[in-house]
Amino acid sequence: IIHEGDRIAKIVRNLLSYARQRDSYETVNDFRQMIQTPLSLLHKKIEDEHIDVSLTVEDNLPPARCNVQQIEQVLINLIDNSCHALRKKGHKYQFLRRIDIEIKKCVSNEETMVRFSVRDNGPGIPKEVQEKAFNAFYTTKPAGEGTGLGLSIAKQVIESHCGRILIDSQPGEYTSVSFGLPALTSRTDTEFAN
């Protein structure tokens, strides 16, 4: 009963997040600090499942404006998905189960972005699944383990921040999910003010 109650509560939280409109935004300069909340919340799971996590944060990143709680929720979802994928891989030793998190500056369509990526060395995602991954209520997890809203909500959140989210996966080798947030410039500042 407790397990099912927790699962229902998670579904309701996801539905509320899915329906929620954009809230307050703040300027973020310390992206290393931003990733600490998701990592600390998932620390026990990561430790219990013997997963090695590597974090690389580029120096002198430009600031970005975002809803910190929403971006943290996206990161929690992506890291949790990686943990689930690595569980399916079946390795029990730390050096065989790995999540690499990278935050760096990049330029996309002549726009400076802060790019987050979460990559695992799990079983990968087939091409036909990748094409449906962001659809609401689509999940490959067993009944009771997934709602099919995590990546759909993540996409909605990132697009509301004028960014985009992408999946790159090679079945049998890895999955990488990355998203970019526009660096704070006079143009993005005006967009967010409207």
Side-chain angles (χ1 to χ4, degrees):
I1 292 170
I2 291 170
H3 173 75
E4 288 304 302
D6 288 343
R7 187 173 73 84
I8 291 166
K10 182 178 179 182
I11 291 170
V12 170
R13 281 195 303 272
N14 283 339
L15 286 168
L16 289 172
S17 294
Y18 191 70
R20 187 178 298 134
Q21 295 299 311
R22 194 165 24 164
D23 295 319
S24 61
Y25 288 78
E26 57 189 271
T27 300
V28 176
N29 295 289
D30 190 352
F31 295 97
R32 188 177 297 276
Q33 182 61 39
M34 177 188 275
I35 191 64
Q36 291 311 313
T37 298
L39 288 176
S40 64
L41 287 172
L42 294 169
H43 173 75
K44 182 67 174 159
K45 176 182 278 194
I46 290 166
E47 185 178 69
D48 287 350
E49 297 183 10
H50 307 286
I51 297 169
D52 182 31
V53 175
S54 164
L55 174 63
T56 304
V57 182
E58 190 175 276
D59 291 331
N60 302 314
L61 287 169
R65 179 169 289 170
C66 65
N67 180 303
V68 173
Q69 289 180 326
Q70 288 182 355
I71 299 303
E72 286 175 348
Q73 186 59 50
V74 169
L75 290 165
I76 288 168
N77 182 267
L78 298 183
I79 297 167
D80 189 53
N81 282 353
S82 286
C83 289
H84 184 269
L86 289 168
R87 191 182 315 130
K88 289 197 298 186
K89 192 168 185 177
H91 294 309
K92 293 183 179 178
Y93 300 100
Q94 216 170 1
F95 66 92
L96 293 174
R97 304 173 86 180
R98 184 174 182 84
I99 297 174
D100 297 306
I101 302 167
E102 184 180 54
I103 308 172
K104 67 178 186 178
K105 183 175 79 171
C106 70
V107 178
S108 176
N109 297 324
E110 300 183 7
E111 184 172 24
T112 302
M113 310 282 283
V114 177
R115 182 177 176 269
F116 296 72
S117 68
V118 177
R119 178 183 169 119
D120 64 68
N121 65 340
I125 304 172
K127 189 71 175 173
E128 63 273 13
V129 174
Q130 290 181 49
E131 292 168 359
K132 302 174 186 174
F134 293 112
N135 294 350
F137 302 107
Y138 178 79
T139 182
T140 58
K141 293 179 182 175
E145 287 192 32
T147 63
L149 286 171
L151 286 176
S152 178
I153 291 170
K155 184 172 189 261
Q156 181 188 47
V157 167
I158 299 307
E159 287 179 350
S160 77
H161 284 75
C162 303
R164 63 182 187 144
I165 184 167
L166 302 168
I167 296 176
D168 174 32
S169 184
Q170 183 65 46
E173 294 187 23
Y174 69 89
T175 296
S176 176
V177 182
S178 60
F179 64 88
L181 298 177
L184 193 57
T185 64
S186 57
R187 188 171 80 78
T188 54
D189 196 27
T190 302
E191 287 175 355
F192 280 110
N194 292 335

mmCIF file of all heavy atoms in Angstrom, residues 3 18-19 24 30 40 43 47 57 60 70 78 88 98 116 125 134 145 154 158 178 182 184 186 191:
data_model
loop_
_atom_site.group_PDB
_atom_site.id
_atom_site.type_symbol
_atom_site.label_atom_id
_atom_site.label_comp_id
_atom_site.label_asym_id
_atom_site.label_seq_id
_atom_site.Cartn_x
_atom_site.Cartn_y
_atom_site.Cartn_z
ATOM 1 N N HIS A 3 3.968 1.514 -1.067
ATOM 2 C CA HIS A 3 4.634 1.607 -2.378
ATOM 3 C C HIS A 3 3.694 2.199 -3.428
ATOM 4 O O HIS A 3 4.075 3.108 -4.178
ATOM 5 C CB HIS A 3 5.104 0.217 -2.823
ATOM 6 C CG HIS A 3 5.648 0.189 -4.211
ATOM 7 N ND1 HIS A 3 6.890 0.692 -4.532
ATOM 8 C CD2 HIS A 3 5.103 -0.249 -5.381
ATOM 9 C CE1 HIS A 3 7.098 0.554 -5.826
ATOM 10 N NE2 HIS A 3 6.034 -0.015 -6.370
ATOM 11 N N TYR A 18 3.594 18.926 -15.371
ATOM 12 C CA TYR A 18 3.279 18.978 -16.799
ATOM 13 C C TYR A 18 2.334 20.137 -17.113
ATOM 14 O O TYR A 18 2.442 20.780 -18.151
ATOM 15 C CB TYR A 18 2.655 17.650 -17.217
ATOM 16 C CG TYR A 18 2.527 17.475 -18.704
ATOM 17 C CD1 TYR A 18 3.658 17.294 -19.488
ATOM 18 C CD2 TYR A 18 1.282 17.470 -19.315
ATOM 19 C CE1 TYR A 18 3.552 17.116 -20.858
ATOM 20 C CE2 TYR A 18 1.168 17.299 -20.689
ATOM 21 C CZ TYR A 18 2.307 17.117 -21.445
ATOM 22 O OH TYR A 18 2.196 16.946 -22.796
ATOM 23 N N ALA A 19 1.398 20.409 -16.191
ATOM 24 C CA ALA A 19 0.400 21.451 -16.419
ATOM 25 C C ALA A 19 0.861 22.833 -15.965
ATOM 26 O O ALA A 19 0.286 23.840 -16.356
ATOM 27 C CB ALA A 19 -0.893 21.097 -15.687
ATOM 28 N N SER A 24 8.949 31.832 -11.710
ATOM 29 C CA SER A 24 9.976 32.862 -11.647
ATOM 30 C C SER A 24 11.308 32.358 -12.185
ATOM 31 O O SER A 24 11.656 31.185 -12.067
ATOM 32 C CB SER A 24 10.148 33.327 -10.205
ATOM 33 O OG SER A 24 10.560 32.241 -9.400
ATOM 34 N N ASP A 30 26.540 29.935 -11.069
ATOM 35 C CA ASP A 30 27.236 28.782 -10.491
ATOM 36 C C ASP A 30 26.517 27.478 -10.865
ATOM 37 O O ASP A 30 25.659 26.991 -10.136
ATOM 38 C CB ASP A 30 27.319 28.940 -8.972
ATOM 39 C CG ASP A 30 28.227 27.903 -8.332
ATOM 40 O OD1 ASP A 30 28.670 26.964 -9.040
ATOM 41 O OD2 ASP A 30 28.481 28.016 -7.120
ATOM 42 N N SER A 40 22.732 15.149 -4.861
ATOM 43 C CA SER A 40 22.533 14.805 -3.454
ATOM 44 C C SER A 40 21.221 14.051 -3.248
ATOM 45 O O SER A 40 21.156 13.117 -2.443
ATOM 46 C CB SER A 40 22.582 16.059 -2.571
ATOM 47 O OG SER A 40 21.524 16.938 -2.890
ATOM 48 N N HIS A 43 21.903 10.533 -4.448
ATOM 49 C CA HIS A 43 23.152 9.953 -3.952
ATOM 50 C C HIS A 43 22.984 8.514 -3.474
ATOM 51 O O HIS A 43 23.780 7.632 -3.818
ATOM 52 C CB HIS A 43 23.720 10.813 -2.821
ATOM 53 C CG HIS A 43 24.908 10.199 -2.157
ATOM 54 N ND1 HIS A 43 26.163 10.174 -2.745
ATOM 55 C CD2 HIS A 43 25.037 9.544 -0.966
ATOM 56 C CE1 HIS A 43 27.007 9.552 -1.940
ATOM 57 N NE2 HIS A 43 26.357 9.159 -0.868
ATOM 58 N N GLU A 47 24.784 5.297 -5.080
ATOM 59 C CA GLU A 47 25.701 4.513 -4.244
ATOM 60 C C GLU A 47 25.257 3.054 -4.167
ATOM 61 O O GLU A 47 26.065 2.138 -4.342
ATOM 62 C CB GLU A 47 25.739 5.127 -2.835
ATOM 63 C CG GLU A 47 26.743 4.479 -1.906
ATOM 64 C CD GLU A 47 26.740 5.177 -0.556
ATOM 65 O OE1 GLU A 47 25.731 5.053 0.171
ATOM 66 O OE2 GLU A 47 27.730 5.851 -0.234
ATOM 67 N N VAL A 57 32.486 20.473 -15.209
ATOM 68 C CA VAL A 57 31.864 21.788 -15.398
ATOM 69 C C VAL A 57 32.935 22.737 -15.930
ATOM 70 O O VAL A 57 33.952 22.968 -15.268
ATOM 71 C CB VAL A 57 31.266 22.338 -14.086
ATOM 72 C CG1 VAL A 57 30.589 23.692 -14.335
ATOM 73 C CG2 VAL A 57 30.276 21.352 -13.477
ATOM 74 N N ASN A 60 34.414 29.440 -16.235
ATOM 75 C CA ASN A 60 33.996 30.701 -16.839
ATOM 76 C C ASN A 60 32.796 30.566 -17.778
ATOM 77 O O ASN A 60 32.765 31.156 -18.863
ATOM 78 C CB ASN A 60 35.169 31.350 -17.602
ATOM 79 C CG ASN A 60 36.364 31.587 -16.698
ATOM 80 O OD1 ASN A 60 36.211 32.089 -15.584
ATOM 81 N ND2 ASN A 60 37.538 31.210 -17.162
ATOM 82 N N GLN A 70 12.952 23.993 -11.842
ATOM 83 C CA GLN A 70 12.542 23.231 -13.013
ATOM 84 C C GLN A 70 13.739 22.557 -13.681
ATOM 85 O O GLN A 70 13.660 21.391 -14.085
ATOM 86 C CB GLN A 70 11.815 24.134 -14.016
ATOM 87 C CG GLN A 70 10.430 24.541 -13.559
ATOM 88 C CD GLN A 70 9.713 25.404 -14.585
ATOM 89 O OE1 GLN A 70 10.281 25.788 -15.606
ATOM 90 N NE2 GLN A 70 8.457 25.710 -14.313
ATOM 91 N N LEU A 78 16.762 13.007 -15.741
ATOM 92 C CA LEU A 78 17.744 12.433 -16.658
ATOM 93 C C LEU A 78 18.708 11.492 -15.933
ATOM 94 O O LEU A 78 19.025 10.403 -16.428
ATOM 95 C CB LEU A 78 18.530 13.541 -17.368
ATOM 96 C CG LEU A 78 17.716 14.492 -18.258
ATOM 97 C CD1 LEU A 78 18.643 15.480 -18.948
ATOM 98 C CD2 LEU A 78 16.881 13.733 -19.270
ATOM 99 N N LYS A 88 19.425 -2.116 -15.847
ATOM 100 C CA LYS A 88 19.091 -3.121 -16.858
ATOM 101 C C LYS A 88 20.348 -3.763 -17.437
ATOM 102 O O LYS A 88 20.322 -4.904 -17.883
ATOM 103 C CB LYS A 88 18.276 -2.493 -17.999
ATOM 104 C CG LYS A 88 16.864 -2.125 -17.605
ATOM 105 C CD LYS A 88 15.979 -1.902 -18.813
ATOM 106 C CE LYS A 88 16.440 -0.765 -19.673
ATOM 107 N NZ LYS A 88 15.517 -0.456 -20.774
ATOM 108 N N ARG A 98 28.530 3.651 -15.368
ATOM 109 C CA ARG A 98 29.052 5.020 -15.336
ATOM 110 C C ARG A 98 28.046 6.024 -15.880
ATOM 111 O O ARG A 98 27.379 5.779 -16.884
ATOM 112 C CB ARG A 98 30.340 5.054 -16.162
ATOM 113 C CG ARG A 98 31.054 6.374 -16.161
ATOM 114 C CD ARG A 98 32.383 6.252 -16.896
ATOM 115 N NE ARG A 98 33.099 7.510 -16.848
ATOM 116 C CZ ARG A 98 33.869 7.897 -15.844
ATOM 117 N NH1 ARG A 98 34.014 7.113 -14.799
ATOM 118 N NH2 ARG A 98 34.475 9.070 -15.875
ATOM 119 N N PHE A 116 24.053 21.197 -21.073
ATOM 120 C CA PHE A 116 24.104 20.149 -20.062
ATOM 121 C C PHE A 116 23.982 18.806 -20.781
ATOM 122 O O PHE A 116 23.126 18.657 -21.661
ATOM 123 C CB PHE A 116 22.918 20.261 -19.100
ATOM 124 C CG PHE A 116 22.881 21.510 -18.265
ATOM 125 C CD1 PHE A 116 22.571 22.745 -18.835
ATOM 126 C CD2 PHE A 116 23.129 21.463 -16.893
ATOM 127 C CE1 PHE A 116 22.513 23.895 -18.065
ATOM 128 C CE2 PHE A 116 23.071 22.602 -16.124
ATOM 129 C CZ PHE A 116 22.771 23.829 -16.707
ATOM 130 N N ILE A 125 19.356 3.047 -26.505
ATOM 131 C CA ILE A 125 17.941 3.140 -26.870
ATOM 132 C C ILE A 125 17.803 2.896 -28.369
ATOM 133 O O ILE A 125 18.435 3.588 -29.173
ATOM 134 C CB ILE A 125 17.377 4.540 -26.534
ATOM 135 C CG1 ILE A 125 17.585 4.870 -25.057
ATOM 136 C CG2 ILE A 125 15.907 4.637 -26.905
ATOM 137 C CD1 ILE A 125 17.232 6.297 -24.692
ATOM 138 N N PHE A 134 9.981 11.458 -26.252
ATOM 139 C CA PHE A 134 9.456 12.696 -25.674
ATOM 140 C C PHE A 134 7.929 12.762 -25.705
ATOM 141 O O PHE A 134 7.351 13.766 -25.292
ATOM 142 C CB PHE A 134 10.044 13.907 -26.401
ATOM 143 C CG PHE A 134 11.525 14.073 -26.170
ATOM 144 C CD1 PHE A 134 12.430 13.889 -27.202
ATOM 145 C CD2 PHE A 134 12.013 14.406 -24.915
ATOM 146 C CE1 PHE A 134 13.792 14.035 -27.003
ATOM 147 C CE2 PHE A 134 13.374 14.562 -24.695
ATOM 148 C CZ PHE A 134 14.265 14.369 -25.739
ATOM 149 N N GLU A 145 6.732 1.437 -12.572
ATOM 150 C CA GLU A 145 8.037 2.080 -12.452
ATOM 151 C C GLU A 145 8.129 3.401 -13.195
ATOM 152 O O GLU A 145 8.970 4.222 -12.895
ATOM 153 C CB GLU A 145 9.144 1.139 -12.947
ATOM 154 C CG GLU A 145 9.420 -0.007 -12.007
ATOM 155 C CD GLU A 145 10.692 -0.749 -12.377
ATOM 156 O OE1 GLU A 145 11.634 -0.112 -12.894
ATOM 157 O OE2 GLU A 145 10.734 -1.969 -12.152
ATOM 158 N N ALA A 154 10.356 17.261 -19.307
ATOM 159 C CA ALA A 154 11.681 17.851 -19.527
ATOM 160 C C ALA A 154 11.700 18.674 -20.810
ATOM 161 O O ALA A 154 12.206 19.802 -20.835
ATOM 162 C CB ALA A 154 12.738 16.754 -19.581
ATOM 163 N N ILE A 158 12.410 22.700 -21.024
ATOM 164 C CA ILE A 158 13.534 23.254 -21.780
ATOM 165 C C ILE A 158 13.050 24.180 -22.887
ATOM 166 O O ILE A 158 13.626 25.255 -23.115
ATOM 167 C CB ILE A 158 14.420 22.123 -22.345
ATOM 168 C CG1 ILE A 158 15.006 21.280 -21.206
ATOM 169 C CG2 ILE A 158 15.524 22.692 -23.223
ATOM 170 C CD1 ILE A 158 15.727 22.055 -20.131
ATOM 171 N N SER A 178 21.037 15.605 -23.886
ATOM 172 C CA SER A 178 21.612 16.929 -23.662
ATOM 173 C C SER A 178 20.580 18.009 -23.926
ATOM 174 O O SER A 178 19.657 17.822 -24.712
ATOM 175 C CB SER A 178 22.843 17.137 -24.543
ATOM 176 O OG SER A 178 22.505 17.022 -25.901
ATOM 177 N N PRO A 182 19.911 29.157 -23.332
ATOM 178 C CA PRO A 182 20.566 30.345 -23.902
ATOM 179 C C PRO A 182 21.329 31.117 -22.830
ATOM 180 O O PRO A 182 20.820 31.352 -21.729
ATOM 181 C CB PRO A 182 19.395 31.181 -24.435
ATOM 182 C CG PRO A 182 18.265 30.210 -24.595
ATOM 183 C CD PRO A 182 18.458 29.188 -23.522
ATOM 184 N N LEU A 184 22.836 34.333 -21.034
ATOM 185 C CA LEU A 184 22.155 35.604 -20.800
ATOM 186 C C LEU A 184 22.797 36.701 -21.638
ATOM 187 O O LEU A 184 23.957 37.047 -21.482
ATOM 188 C CB LEU A 184 22.222 35.962 -19.320
ATOM 189 C CG LEU A 184 21.320 37.088 -18.852
ATOM 190 C CD1 LEU A 184 19.857 36.791 -19.172
ATOM 191 C CD2 LEU A 184 21.485 37.299 -17.361
ATOM 192 N N SER A 186 21.510 40.463 -24.099
ATOM 193 C CA SER A 186 20.437 41.461 -24.166
ATOM 194 C C SER A 186 19.216 40.892 -24.885
ATOM 195 O O SER A 186 18.082 41.184 -24.549
ATOM 196 C CB SER A 186 20.930 42.726 -24.867
ATOM 197 O OG SER A 186 21.423 42.409 -26.162
ATOM 198 N N GLU A 191 13.585 38.519 -24.252
ATOM 199 C CA GLU A 191 12.637 37.429 -24.454
ATOM 200 C C GLU A 191 12.001 36.993 -23.149
ATOM 201 O O GLU A 191 10.796 36.792 -23.057
ATOM 202 C CB GLU A 191 13.340 36.229 -25.096
ATOM 203 C CG GLU A 191 13.670 36.426 -26.557
ATOM 204 C CD GLU A 191 14.472 35.275 -27.121
ATOM 205 O OE1 GLU A 191 14.855 34.368 -26.355
ATOM 206 O OE2 GLU A 191 14.744 35.301 -28.336
#
